[in-house]
Amino acid sequence: MIYVIARMELNEGCKDAMLAALAETVPQVLSEDGCIMYTPCLEADEEQQDKYLTIIEAWKNRDLHQAHLAAPHMAKFRDTVKDLRKGCDVKIVAPVM
């Protein structure tokens, strides 16, 4: 299993549009082969909730995650949100215990 932590810095005033894009995309991702968890999260600090959005994911393996990245709905998602975020920092980790 792998975990993916994708932290996005949002452009000012774009949180609601990002959440709308995710509302369409999340059910598609959850139905993908190998997806265990795909959970968008806002910062716990209310002052930062309009600035950052993090998606926490769990996948059965890295190959299935790579297939997810190549899925047509993910290409559509990336195109939809390209102007909503400044960038995205992605970390992929695997449990050791």
Side-chain angles (χ1 to χ4, degrees):
M1 178 169 39
I2 63 165
Y3 292 98
V4 179
I5 300 103
R7 186 172 193 242
M8 294 175 253
E9 183 175 359
L10 303 175
N11 289 325
E12 188 173 333
C14 292
K15 179 182 83 173
D16 290 341
M18 177 64 78
L19 292 174
L22 283 163
E24 180 179 329
T25 304
V26 168
Q28 295 170 313
V29 174
L30 289 172
S31 71
E32 289 181 53
D33 185 33
C35 182
I36 300 166
M37 177 178 71
Y38 192 85
T39 307
C41 302
L42 293 174
E43 297 289 311
D45 177 356
E46 288 184 28
E47 292 178 14
Q48 298 292 312
Q49 288 185 353
D50 290 337
K51 189 171 182 181
Y52 296 102
L53 186 137
T54 301
I55 301 174
I56 301 172
E57 311 172 36
W59 294 88
K60 288 184 182 175
N61 60 51
R62 193 158 183 146
D63 289 339
L64 292 169
H65 177 251
Q66 289 299 314
H68 153 72
L69 294 174
H73 58 268
M74 290 310 297
K76 179 182 176 188
F77 174 76
R78 285 188 295 272
D79 186 56
T80 299
V81 304
K82 68 182 178 212
D83 295 326
L84 303 179
R85 61 187 183 176
K86 295 177 183 175
C88 184
D89 179 52
V90 178
K91 304 282 188 230
I92 300 174
V93 296
V96 294
M97 294 185 181

